């Protein structure tokens, strides 16, 4: 009963190192999302995310396709240009902590996003954690998956 009330109240437990571990809350979007916002977003049902779930990059959850929502920072929005090489550049500006890895921790190959123009109605997401699975690898995601702003309640860094 308590778990269901927490879930319905927007509480989530983060168990991935992309953001601090612990208890988070989904806050209602009371304005348009902006660059720099930390958000909860449901990944779209695509082959890229199905593979990520199978490889363990994502947790199981209540989003479409059985995935848990991601906690990521919005770093680019519709109309911005993304270049991906050894790292990420947004509108020709380097994105800090965005080095591209060739393989995951298990040695499996990682394929980076192609980059290009962020389409209308999409966001490019990032985490400064070096091993984060974010838009560097899966590309821009649809805005319609946004659940709300991510607010830490009780968190810690491992």
């Amino acid at each position: 009963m308590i778990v269901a009330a927490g879930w319905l109240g927007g509480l989530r437990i983060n168990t991935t190192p992309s953001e601090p571990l612990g208890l988070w809350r989904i806050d209602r979007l009371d304005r348009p999302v902006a660059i720099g916002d930390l958000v909860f977003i449901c990944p779209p049902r695509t082959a890229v995310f199905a593979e990520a779930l199978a490889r363990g990059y994502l947790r199981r959850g209540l989003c479409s396709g059985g995935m848990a929502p991601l906690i990521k920072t919005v770093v680019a929005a519709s109309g911005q240009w993304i270049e991906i090489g050894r790292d990420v550049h947004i509108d020709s500006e380097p994105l800090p902590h965005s080095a591209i890895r060739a393989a995951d921790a298990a040695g499996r190959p990682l394929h980076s996003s192609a980059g290009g123009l962020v389409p209308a109605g999409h966001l490019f997401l990032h985490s400064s954690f070096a091993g984060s699975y974010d838009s560097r690898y899966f590309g821009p995601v649809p805005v319609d998956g946004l659940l709300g702003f991510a607010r830490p309640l009780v968190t810690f860094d491992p």
Side-chain angles (χ1 to χ4, degrees):
M1 178 78 111
I2 292 172
V3 172
W7 183 264
L8 293 173
L11 299 180
R12 301 294 184 272
I13 296 174
N14 180 43
T15 60
T16 67
S18 291
E19 294 297 335
L21 305 175
L23 185 62
W24 291 72
R25 182 179 68 221
I26 300 173
D27 279 353
R28 186 174 60 87
L29 294 168
D30 56 357
R31 61 169 173 75
V33 69
I35 304 304
D37 285 341
L38 189 61
V39 298
F40 273 100
I41 191 164
C42 281
R45 291 183 72 164
T46 65
V48 170
F49 282 107
E51 178 182 42
L53 184 63
R55 285 185 170 195
Y57 304 159
L58 308 175
R59 303 286 190 255
R60 295 212 171 268
L62 297 178
C63 292
S64 178
M67 295 175 267
L70 305 173
I71 304 173
K72 301 292 179 198
T73 300
V74 176
V75 294
S78 300
Q80 290 189 276
W81 186 258
I82 308 297
E83 295 173 52
I84 298 180
R86 294 179 66 198
D87 57 6
V88 177
H89 286 72
I90 300 170
D91 293 333
S92 299
E93 294 294 321
L95 178 63
H97 311 287
S98 67
I100 302 298
R101 292 181 170 209
D104 65 14
R108 297 171 292 198
L110 280 171
H111 303 287
S112 62
S113 167
L117 193 67
V118 177
H122 286 70
L123 300 169
F124 195 88
L125 308 172
H126 180 67
S127 169
S128 59
F129 175 67
S132 177
Y133 187 69
D134 55 34
S135 287
R136 290 177 279 186
Y137 305 103
F138 56 72
V141 294
V143 172
D144 63 7
L146 274 176
L147 298 174
F149 298 114
R151 300 287 183 242
L153 296 178
V154 179
T155 62
F156 63 95
D157 288 316

